[in-house]
Amino acid sequence: MGFKEYSILKSVEDISSEDIIIARETELIIDLVVKNMPEQRRKVFEMSRTEGLSNEEIAVALSISRRMVEKHLALAKKEINNIILTLLLLLVFLF
């Protein structure tokens, strides 16, 4: 699995080795966060992001409400954002 939504607004020629490293490290961090999520939240997130299912399709597949799917996705995004923000702040203070 991998969170493949890292995008940069550069042409292919302008992508540096550093950009590639940052993208890979970000993907690894997101993968670790997702793997440590509660099972239902992880399933919902993976079905949405990896499999591309709609909230309604996920709700039917997991026998939960669409609202619960939305809640799981919001919590997953918040968890990922919090970890990335924390790591960025650590980097700022360390360097």
Side-chain angles (χ1 to χ4, degrees), residues 1-37:
M1 192 201 82
F3 189 71
K4 308 285 187 213
E5 294 188 9
Y6 180 84
S7 64
I8 47 180
L9 301 176
K10 295 182 176 183
S11 66
V12 175
E13 299 83 32
D14 292 337
I15 297 175
S16 69
S17 300
E18 186 175 327
D19 290 333
I20 294 169
I21 291 169
I22 290 170
R24 286 183 182 153
E25 288 176 348
T26 301
E27 185 176 334
L28 287 173
I29 291 166
I30 292 169
D31 285 347
L32 286 172
V33 173
V34 171
K35 286 177 184 171
N36 287 300
M37 287 179 181

Side-chain angles (χ1 to χ4, degrees), residues 52-86:
L53 298 178
S54 69
N55 290 359
E56 190 63 37
E57 291 170 321
I58 296 167
V60 170
L62 297 178
S63 300
I64 59 177
S65 70
R66 188 177 55 84
R67 180 69 184 119
M68 187 56 66
V69 170
E70 292 167 356
K71 183 175 180 177
H72 281 301
L73 288 174
L75 289 170
K77 290 175 188 177
K78 183 176 181 180
E79 192 172 341
I80 290 167
N81 288 340
N82 286 342
I83 294 293
I84 290 174
L85 179 61
T86 300

